[in-house]
Amino acid sequence: MKRNTWQREAVREALTSNDGFVSAQSLHTGLREHGSPIGLATVYRALADLASEGEADSLQSPEGEALYRACSTSGHHHHLICRRCGTTVEIAADDVEQWAQRVASEHGFTDARHVVDVFGLCATCTALEAASASAPPI
Amino acid sequence: MKRNTWQREAVREALTSNDGFVSAQSLHTGLREHGSPIGLATVYRALADLASEGEADSLQSPEGEALYRACSTSGHHHHLICRRCGTTVEIAADDVEQWAQRVASEHGFTDARHVVDVFGLCATCTALEAASASAPPI
DNA sequence: CTGCTTTTGAGTATCATTATCAATAAGCGC
DNA sequence: GCGCTTATTGATAATGATACTCAAAAGCAG
């Protein structure tokens, strides 16, 4: 039987109120700072549940950390993520879906699934970057 | 100055002689089984070097492990990977490149980079899967 | 060969994630 | 509302991949 606990709700809300992708760790830290005595293990479990129910999306950051985000659109879609501020735009990509299927079957592959994510700098961060470029890095 | 050590060569060769993606860990294990007393740290260093020089490609497995593979094609390309046996096909995807750029700029993003990988079951493994389906799993 | 510098490697540290398991509390029937 | 059953929680330990440390070994120039 599936039970409703405030912890699960807290995780769901924390995820929903966040624009970009967040790691389980930072989500946990954030919740504690808001006063929740929620445990780390519980956050992981809740995130895994949400992800498997399709209410959240997960991806691996380049550093190997797992990132989660609440999905507004149910169903399959991809993401455009700012690598500086984490802002995320959901993108539907029928073209890409079809391309993936076609490429897979051309090579005899079945049951194709794909990872398609675009990382970049959002408009805001591009501007910031340009501004800070005058000060030489490191 | 960059020095030539047999260890680095060993890693390069082990990578080249491998069809699919391999993890640093299994590469290290394999090398030791072949008699090399190479150290784990060295394997990691060599792989990171090869990857940054463009001689190897790296991606994150769904389990968060980093996988490496020698790239035959220099330049940008993507992969079609069998999730059972690890066989990999390199795929060029100009369509996808353009799509990624277009989507990014439509949303004001710059400096777009993307992760596009297709996971599936290759023809061989599909057949195996079908065969073993008659015997109930686990 | 000599000397300087890079690289190695054994071990350790770190960090994210998962497993453990006793204590807690949700939801059910009454 | 009450108690019972059982899923859930959470502190902690375990795991596993990767990064760091530093003395010893080895590469390369002269």
Side-chain angles (χ1 to χ4, degrees), chain A residues 57 69-74 77-80 88-92, chain B residues 107:
Chain A
D57 230 34
R69 179 171 189 278
C71 279
S72 50
T73 321
S74 63
H77 57 268
H78 301 290
H79 298 101
L80 175 57
T88 307
V89 182
E90 292 185 3
I91 46 184
Chain B
H107 290 275

Side-chain angles (χ1 to χ4, degrees), chain A residues 93-138:
Chain A
D94 291 338
D95 304 347
V96 176
E97 311 297 321
Q98 288 163 26
W99 167 83
Q101 292 298 329
R102 181 164 47 77
V103 171
S105 58
E106 271 173 13
H107 290 276
F109 278 57
T110 61
D111 196 19
R113 229 149 292 173
H114 51 278
V115 178
V116 174
D117 285 297
V118 184
F119 292 85
L121 284 178
C122 72
T124 311
C125 291
T126 302
L128 287 174
E129 193 83 346
S132 68
S134 46
I138 307 178

Side-chain angles (χ1 to χ4, degrees), chain A residues 6-7 28 31-40 42:
Chain A
W6 62 266
Q7 286 98 332
H28 175 237
L31 280 165
R32 303 217 87 154
E33 281 171 358
H34 270 273
S36 285
I38 194 171
L40 179 57
T42 306

Side-chain angles (χ1 to χ4, degrees), chain B residues 2 25 27 35 41 45-46 56 58 60-61 67 70 72-74 79 92 100 103 105 108 113 127 129 133 136-137:
Chain B
K2 197 89 172 194
Q25 304 282 342
L27 202 58
R45 272 187 293 242
S58 72
Q60 306 277 335
S61 81
L67 302 180
S72 49
T73 321
S74 62
H79 297 101
V103 171
S105 58
R113 230 150 290 173
E129 193 84 345

Side-chain angles (χ1 to χ4, degrees), chain A residues 11-92:
Chain A
V11 171
R12 191 201 307 272
E13 274 200 32
L15 208 57
T16 311
S17 69
N18 208 310
D19 243 14
F21 276 88
V22 269
S23 68
Q25 303 282 342
S26 63
L27 202 59
H28 175 237
T29 307
L31 280 165
R32 303 217 87 154
E33 281 171 358
H34 270 273
S36 285
I38 194 171
L40 179 57
T42 306
V43 173
Y44 274 98
R45 272 186 294 242
L47 285 174
D49 283 359
L50 288 173
S52 75
E53 286 162 19
E55 293 197 61
D57 230 34
S58 73
L59 62 85
Q60 305 279 334
S61 81
E63 296 86 39
E65 216 177 350
L67 302 180
Y68 294 86
R69 179 171 189 278
C71 279
S72 50
T73 321
S74 63
H76 185 69
H77 57 268
H78 301 290
H79 298 101
L80 175 57
I81 305 146
C82 175
R83 82 169 66 90
R84 175 182 281 250
C85 67
T87 297
T88 307
V89 182
E90 292 185 3
I91 46 184

